[in-house]
């Protein structure tokens, strides 16, 4: 009898506790512990994945999968426990942390430990496969992606280009089945966390509803689309001249292998084909770097120098000791460039297989932008140690790279003389080939992936849907017939490695907004494309105001801190390229625009 009464009493006490409303103090306590735990696991995860990406072996892959699994398990558990505080009125900062806690995982996992493990293992194996990927032209001539990128940037032989394109894309079909399984498992995780699917979860991290975000993207795309069409039309006509109408159809899409890049995502490498008269405006950054015998580390030093000229502290000694700058000869590494913040404090690094060329000079600035952002917000609490949104993170270094003007190169001793004259078209065209050509590519990857996650695109039409979208947004077509035996999306790093991509589209627009604000802050007046704010402490201080906020406030607040504007807008981009747009449209007279 006594035992029954005791049991009833316990039951009563328990139900009372479950019913008592949690307090703000409890929520604060919960969040404090959650942040500490997640931060510790994130550091372990970074260490393990750093080693995995630098030494791809079955063992490092297993160790990385373990660390990711542990962090994913903890995040899932904490996100679930946090539901206890649903409906509780909290101070805005705390409420924001609860929201962000549920959004931290890029790959949400099912609660079932066996399924979660299966998902994390597939995830690491896909990234490993991509990193190991090679195309062997003959048994003794195997090319990794760094080599393929180099040849595709220089070769003007359509047969060779086609062969390399097909060869590289052959790394992907073995990933197809695992990718489909990964999508199913991760979707299950997203649903268990209360989202419709993984894509909806990704779209929820922009301080607005997923629907509003999609609409905003469409608005931005419509703003820049006319400029893209003008560029596409001009480039296509020049390629017809170069390769003939049998290789390039004068009124159709452009073949994906002819644009100087395995994914046709940036076209700057075909600038020499575009038939601009050699002008004294012209300089070749790759040649300047080679002429000065600048090596990989030297290129990074130039990048650091730009940031310190704005008033940022130099990078710590450990950055130089621990980063990877060049491709090791004797092992597989993930060469796709990345920036790391191992301990969320000062252990900053980049990992990159640098080649001495202009393209990599720009990428170095891109990566350092990540590192300087990470350091600027290191004193924020862990859940706010992120970009205002992920597009901001990608745009910091690119905004700096826009300020690599002839005048800047001259100031740092890379260019003897600033070219005189007033014809900016060649330089603007070079920039547009990289930055405007990229925009529809930046947009479409996740347009494809969101539909994959929502089930609108199924494994049975993965590849067809991919090429439908590349045609629709970019006017690009594959050089050979494709089928569902192919899996072309996974020949792109971010698909294989499950890195969201809309961030790069946003960055492609934001970088001009940041750049214009930094130019104004430095006191510059004149055509936007000629501005460099190198050495401006005023610009640096304003930049830092935005950077140090991390993700502590909704992103419009961060944008406002630097630019005074609260909307992402392509106005600055269009202002920058206005002289080029006018010139392109004159050249394009009589041509069919579009495909
Ligand atoms: O992946 C990157 C960076 C690392 S965050 C090198 N980028 C995108 C790509 O290479 O596809 C930068 C531009 C777009
Ligand atoms: Zn990046």
């Amino acid at each position: 009898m006594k035992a029954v009464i005791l049991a009833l009493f316990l039951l009563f006490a328990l139900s009372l506790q479950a019913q008592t409303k949690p307090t703000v103090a409890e929520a604060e306590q919960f969040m404090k512990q959650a942040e500490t735990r997640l931060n510790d696991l994130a550091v372990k995860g970074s260490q393990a994945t750093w080693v995995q990406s630098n030494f791809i072996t079955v063992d490092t892959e297993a160790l990385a999968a373990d660390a990711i699994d542990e962090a994913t398990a903890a995040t899932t558990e904490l996100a679930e426990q946090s539901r206890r505080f649903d409906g509780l009125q909290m101070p805005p900062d705390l409420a924001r942390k609860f929201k962000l806690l549920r959004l931290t995982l890029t790959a949400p996992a099912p609660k079932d430990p066996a399924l979660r493990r299966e998902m994390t293992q597939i995830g690491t194996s896909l990234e490993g496969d991509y990193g190991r990927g090679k195309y062997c032209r003959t048994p003794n001539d195997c090319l990794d992606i760094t080599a393929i990128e180099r040849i595709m940037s220089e070769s003007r032989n359509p047969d060779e280009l086609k062969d390399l394109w097909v060869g590289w894309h052959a790394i992907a079909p073995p990933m197809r089945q695992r990718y489909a399984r990964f999508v199913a498992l991760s979707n299950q995780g997203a649903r268990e966390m209360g989202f419709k699917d993984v894509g909806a979860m990704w779209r929820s991290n922009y301080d607005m509803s997923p629907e509003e975000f999609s609409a905003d993207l469409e608005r931005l795309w419509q703003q820049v689309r006319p400029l893209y069409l003008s560029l596409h039309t001009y480039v296509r006509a020049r390629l017809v001249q170069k390769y003939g109408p049998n290789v390039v159809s004068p009124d159709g899409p452009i073949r994906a292998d002819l644009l100087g890049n395995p994914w046709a995502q940036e076209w700057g490498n075909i600038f020499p084909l575009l038939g601009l008269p050699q002008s004294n405006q012209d300089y070749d950054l790759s040649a300047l770097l080679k002429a000065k015998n600048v090596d990989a580390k030297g290129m990074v030093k130039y990048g650091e120098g730009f940031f310190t000229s704005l008033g940022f502290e130099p990078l710590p000694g450990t950055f130089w000791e621990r980063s990877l700058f060049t491709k090791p000869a004797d092992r597989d590494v993930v060469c796709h460039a990345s920036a790391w913040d191992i301990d969320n404090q000062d252990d900053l690094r980049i990992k990159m297989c640098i080649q001495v060329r202009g393209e990599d000079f720009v990428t170095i600035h891109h990566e350092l932008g990540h590192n300087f952002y990470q350091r600027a917000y290191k004193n924020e609490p862990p859940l706010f140690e992120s970009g205002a949104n992920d597009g901001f993170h990608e745009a910091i270094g690119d905004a700096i790279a826009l300020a690599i003007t002839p005048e800047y190169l001259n100031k740092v001793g890379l260019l003897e003389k600033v070219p005189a004259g007033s014809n900016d078209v060649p330089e603007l065209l070079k920039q547009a080939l990289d930055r405007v050509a990229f925009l529809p590519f930046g947009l479409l990857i996740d347009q494809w992936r969101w539909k994959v996650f929502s089930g609108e695109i199924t494994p049975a039409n993965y590849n067809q849907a991919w090429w439908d979208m590349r045609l629709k947004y970019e006017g690009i077509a594959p050089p050979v017939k494709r089928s569902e035996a192919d899996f072309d999306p996974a020949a792109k790093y971010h698909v294989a490695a499950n890195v969201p991509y809309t961030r790069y589209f946003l960055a492609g627009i934001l970088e001009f907004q940041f750049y214009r604000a930094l130019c104004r802050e430095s006191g510059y007046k004149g055509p936007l494309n000629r501005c460099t704010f190198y050495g401006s402490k005023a610009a640096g201080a304003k930049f830092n105001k935005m950077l140090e906020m991390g993700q502590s406030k909704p992103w419009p607040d961060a944008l406002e801190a630097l630019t005074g504007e609260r909307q992402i807008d392509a106005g600055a981009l269009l202002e920058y390229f206005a002289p080029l747009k006018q010139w392109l449209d004159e050249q394009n007279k009589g041509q069919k625009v579009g495909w």
Side-chain angles (χ1 to χ4, degrees):
M1 188 63 182
K2 251 188 181 169
V4 174
I5 291 174
L6 192 66
L8 278 173
F9 175 75
L10 273 175
L11 214 72
F12 175 70
L14 277 173
S15 71
L16 244 189
Q17 198 197 4
Q19 276 167 17
T20 358
K21 271 182 93 186
T23 62
V24 170
E26 282 167 342
E28 262 160 3
Q29 177 70 6
F30 169 87
M31 189 47 78
K32 199 158 172 257
Q33 286 172 355
E35 284 196 291
T36 308
R37 184 166 164 210
L38 290 179
N39 191 56
D40 291 350
L41 289 170
V43 175
K44 268 171 82 182
S46 297
Q47 289 167 331
T49 45
W50 172 266
V51 175
Q52 184 216 356
S53 315
N54 277 273
F55 307 83
I56 308 178
T57 69
V58 280
D59 302 309
T60 58
E61 216 168 274
L63 293 170
D66 272 353
I68 295 170
D69 193 59
E70 204 186 336
T72 306
T75 314
T76 313
E77 184 190 309
L78 289 167
E80 167 125 334
Q81 290 171 357
S82 74
R83 299 229 156 256
R84 187 154 80 80
F85 302 96
D86 278 0
L88 176 68
Q89 277 289 330
M90 299 181 208
D93 273 11
L94 187 58
R96 184 166 177 80
K97 285 186 182 175
F98 273 88
K99 194 185 86 173
L100 293 176
L101 172 63
R102 288 167 204 171
L103 293 169
T104 46
L105 290 174
T106 309
K111 271 182 270 182
D112 178 334
L115 294 179
R116 185 187 65 230
R117 222 180 147 68
E118 185 188 353
M119 190 203 81
T120 49
Q121 278 170 354
I122 294 179
T124 42
S125 80
L126 289 172
E127 182 170 6
D129 279 8
Y130 184 95
R132 270 187 293 262
K134 284 185 192 61
Y135 166 45
C136 296
R137 297 206 258 206
T138 67
N140 295 324
D141 178 19
C142 291
L143 305 171
D144 58 29
I145 189 56
T146 310
I148 292 173
E149 278 187 68
R150 184 173 42 74
I151 304 173
M152 289 191 78
S153 72
E154 290 164 358
S155 171
R156 310 297 182 219
N157 172 346
D159 293 331
E160 181 182 38
L161 287 167
K162 186 197 289 181
D163 181 62
L164 288 170
W165 189 96
V166 172
W168 174 249
H169 283 75
I171 68 154
M175 301 185 210
R176 194 186 237 274
Q177 271 201 332
R178 269 172 298 150
Y179 186 80
R181 179 73 182 147
F182 181 85
V183 167
L185 289 169
S186 191
N187 263 339
Q188 184 181 331
R191 286 184 193 122
E192 288 175 12
M193 284 178 88
F195 296 93
K196 229 169 74 210
D197 58 61
V198 175
M201 184 168 162
W202 288 3
R203 293 191 298 278
S204 300
N205 210 353
Y206 295 91
D207 298 304
M208 55 176 94
S209 75
E211 297 74 26
E212 283 167 333
F213 181 59
S214 290
D216 233 21
L217 288 177
E218 182 59 22
R219 169 180 66 82
L220 292 168
W221 171 232
Q222 291 308 330
Q223 262 190 302
V224 296
R225 188 166 167 270
L227 178 58
Y228 177 75
L229 287 177
S230 299
L231 182 70
H232 181 280
T233 305
Y234 177 75
V235 168
R236 181 178 59 192
R238 298 283 85 76
L239 290 178
V240 173
Q241 278 176 354
K242 164 80 188 166
Y243 293 115
N246 291 333
V247 177
V248 182
S249 130
D251 55 6
I254 303 176
R255 236 173 76 171
D257 55 336
L258 302 179
L259 290 157
N261 172 283
W263 309 276
Q265 65 179 65
E266 283 130 3
W267 307 348
N269 290 319
I270 61 154
F271 177 75
L273 295 186
L274 297 187
L276 287 180
Q278 283 297 319
S279 80
N280 59 358
Q281 288 295 299
D282 225 9
Y283 66 89
D284 173 356
L285 186 49
S286 302
L288 296 180
L289 292 166
K290 285 181 189 135
K292 293 268 176 208
N293 272 325
V294 182
D295 62 5
K297 188 173 168 187
M299 287 164 72
V300 183
K301 280 276 174 203
Y302 276 109
E304 181 194 38
F306 202 124
F307 285 90
T308 53
S309 89
L310 302 177
F312 291 93
E313 288 297 311
L315 291 161
T318 50
F319 171 88
W320 302 100
E321 288 155 19
R322 298 173 189 172
S323 289
L324 179 91
F325 296 141
T326 48
K327 183 169 176 2
D330 56 352
R331 61 176 201 262
D332 286 322
V333 305
V334 177
C335 268
H336 189 85
S338 51
W340 298 63
D341 179 6
I342 302 280
D343 63 353
N344 295 328
Q345 284 300 310
D346 295 302
D347 193 349
L348 305 166
R349 310 176 191 177
I350 66 171
K351 181 176 61 58
M352 196 176 158
C353 303
I354 299 176
Q355 306 180 58
V356 180
R357 52 178 190 161
E359 198 177 329
D360 289 32
F361 197 64
V362 171
T363 304
I364 287 167
H365 289 74
H366 174 96
E367 297 308 332
L368 292 183
H370 288 306
N371 284 149
F372 280 91
Y373 203 175
Q374 287 158 343
R375 196 171 53 181
Y377 59 58
K378 72 173 185 180
N379 292 328
E380 288 292 331
L383 276 167
F384 293 158
E385 286 181 320
S386 274
N389 69 40
D390 55 3
F392 280 59
H393 229 303
E394 299 303 336
I396 305 306
D398 291 352
I400 300 279
L402 279 171
I404 304 177
T405 57
E407 195 195 330
Y408 162 73
L409 293 170
N410 174 261
K411 274 190 187 157
V412 296
L414 280 170
L415 182 64
E416 301 284 311
K417 245 178 65 193
V418 182
S422 58
N423 180 12
D424 289 357
V425 165
E427 188 50 29
L428 280 172
L429 181 59
K430 222 184 277 173
Q431 286 285 7
L433 288 170
D434 283 334
R435 299 189 193 244
V436 177
F438 178 78
L439 293 168
F441 183 81
L443 186 63
L444 77 85
I445 292 201
D446 281 351
Q447 298 289 320
W448 177 83
R449 214 164 12 186
W450 293 344
K451 288 190 171 162
V452 167
F453 284 127
S454 78
E456 195 178 330
I457 296 172
T458 65
N461 62 353
Y462 272 172
N463 220 55
Q464 182 61 44
W466 171 256
W467 286 108
D468 288 349
M469 286 197 174
R470 296 209 66 178
L471 182 65
K472 173 180 160 197
Y473 286 103
E474 296 183 289
I476 299 278
V480 295
K481 203 168 155 30
R482 306 308 274 166
S483 75
E484 293 304 327
D486 304 302
F487 187 33
D488 296 323
K492 175 69 195 159
Y493 170 76
H494 301 71
V495 175
N498 195 43
V499 180
Y501 211 80
T502 304
R503 55 183 65 175
Y504 301 107
F505 173 73
L506 294 175
I509 290 172
L510 278 170
E511 68 201 42
F512 287 91
Q513 234 172 323
F514 295 170
Y515 171 72
R516 183 166 70 181
L518 293 165
C519 289
R520 284 178 180 161
E521 202 57 34
S522 75
Y524 175 83
K525 298 197 171 51
L528 191 52
N529 62 297
R530 292 198 189 189
C531 152
T532 186
F533 46 82
Y534 177 72
S536 167
K537 301 284 185 288
K542 194 86 188 242
F543 212 2
N544 194 52
K545 283 233 164 346
M546 177 177 89
L547 300 184
E548 68 186 4
M549 290 168 72
Q551 202 178 8
S552 61
K553 296 279 176 301
W555 64 258
D557 292 3
L559 185 61
E560 191 172 19
L562 173 61
T563 67
E565 300 152 33
R566 295 188 60 84
Q567 236 202 358
I568 304 182
D569 183 81
L573 182 150
L574 297 175
E575 178 187 337
Y576 182 98
F577 287 115
L580 178 73
K581 174 82 165 81
Q582 195 186 1
W583 182 85
L584 286 171
D585 290 345
E586 273 159 30
Q587 312 301 308
N588 291 342
K589 279 210 179 103
Q591 298 270 349
K592 173 179 165 187
V593 175
W595 44 89

